[in-house]
Amino acid sequence: MITLTWEYDELYSCPLTLLLDEFPVGRSRAYVVVQSLNYRVNILRRGSSYREVSNVPSLFDAAPVLEACRAISRGVDPRSVSDPLVRVVATSFFYGGFGVFVDTAEGETIPLQLEMASPHLYLYYQRPGGDSLDLDTWVRVGAFLRSGFDSLVSDLCGRKIECRGGAYFVCGARGCLVVSRHEILGEGRLRIFVDNAPMRHVVKI
């Protein structure tokens, strides 16, 4: 007999965190991430048993998200995680939206820029490609995602980002975010709804 439900004491719902770029900042490293509302890794705990449920498509690398979610669900402080990328992902869970995080040479992960993305923009993720962008470009892109003001990034077209058909293709070394006011069809991209809320934690009372 197949059981279709699984009762739990705690639920940790972790957003798919898309890594867009990675570049040096002094002796430290900066990571640019955006979090997805519609693709998530969920970990349910019942007593000492854990169950993992994910709807993340295989074309995304969900391994850092799963490792970060596992660590937090088991009470591990994100600052003690040894892998810098997993540490960044775990830290970003507490903020949501678009963010630039610096993983310092001292092993601390700190938010450098945090933005809520405008719900009026369509966001898509493209497979990794391109070159790293500079911090100034990402700061402007983050402000654009929050405000929707094209003037913040329009002068970057043809230099730092690609602009065509009313869409902005912002590509870092690790991923590409396509921002458009109109739905893009027929290009094989999955729609990403940016999650402006942090990780969900549900405790059964």
Side-chain angles (χ1 to χ4, degrees):
M1 179 177 177
I2 299 176
T3 302
L4 299 178
T5 60
W6 198 76
E7 300 218 3
Y8 59 87
D9 299 320
E10 282 187 287
L11 164 66
Y12 297 82
S13 184
C14 303
L16 171 64
T17 303
L18 305 176
L19 178 62
L20 301 176
D21 209 353
E22 176 185 352
F23 50 88
V25 175
R27 294 188 299 115
S28 305
R29 306 249 349 137
Y31 297 84
V32 181
V33 302
V34 66
Q35 299 196 347
S36 167
L37 175 66
N38 51 327
Y39 299 117
R40 308 184 73 83
V41 170
N42 298 287
I43 296 181
L44 301 90
R45 181 188 67 80
R46 183 175 62 191
S48 59
S49 299
Y50 291 85
R51 181 179 181 184
E52 298 171 355
V53 181
S54 170
N55 70 339
V56 179
S58 59
L59 65 88
F60 294 115
D61 180 12
V65 177
L66 179 57
E67 289 304 312
C69 202
R70 281 174 177 165
I72 292 174
S73 69
R74 286 152 176 81
V76 176
D77 186 333
R79 293 174 295 183
S80 67
V81 175
S82 59
D83 185 323
L85 178 55
V86 175
R87 190 162 58 235
V88 166
V89 170
T91 302
S92 74
F93 285 164
F94 296 95
Y95 298 96
F98 170 90
V100 179
F101 292 84
V102 174
D103 193 70
T104 69
E106 293 77 17
E108 289 285 334
T109 300
I110 57 174
L112 185 64
Q113 180 187 16
L114 299 171
E115 302 286 0
M116 295 181 67
S118 168
H120 305 296
L121 299 178
Y122 298 111
L123 302 179
Y124 296 82
Y125 174 74
Q126 189 177 18
R127 291 182 180 179
D131 300 318
S132 285
L133 299 175
D134 53 42
L135 182 58
D136 175 70
T137 299
W138 284 116
V139 167
R140 292 168 65 179
V141 167
F144 162 63
L145 292 179
R146 170 168 45 86
S147 68
F149 296 148
D150 300 81
S151 60
L152 290 167
V153 294
S154 57
D155 66 310
L156 298 174
C157 293
R159 299 189 303 111
K160 300 287 188 177
I161 64 178
E162 182 184 349
C163 309
R164 56 184 169 88
Y168 297 92
F169 295 71
V170 187
C171 298
R174 302 290 293 268
C176 182
L177 187 67
V178 182
V179 183
S180 175
R181 295 191 186 279
H182 307 284
E183 189 173 3
I184 299 177
L185 300 173
E187 296 198 31
R189 294 184 179 87
L190 292 178
R191 173 91 175 267
I192 296 296
F193 297 89
V194 173
D195 192 354
N196 287 314
M199 178 186 72
R200 278 74 162 170
H201 179 205
V202 178
V203 179
K204 182 179 178 182
I205 298 177

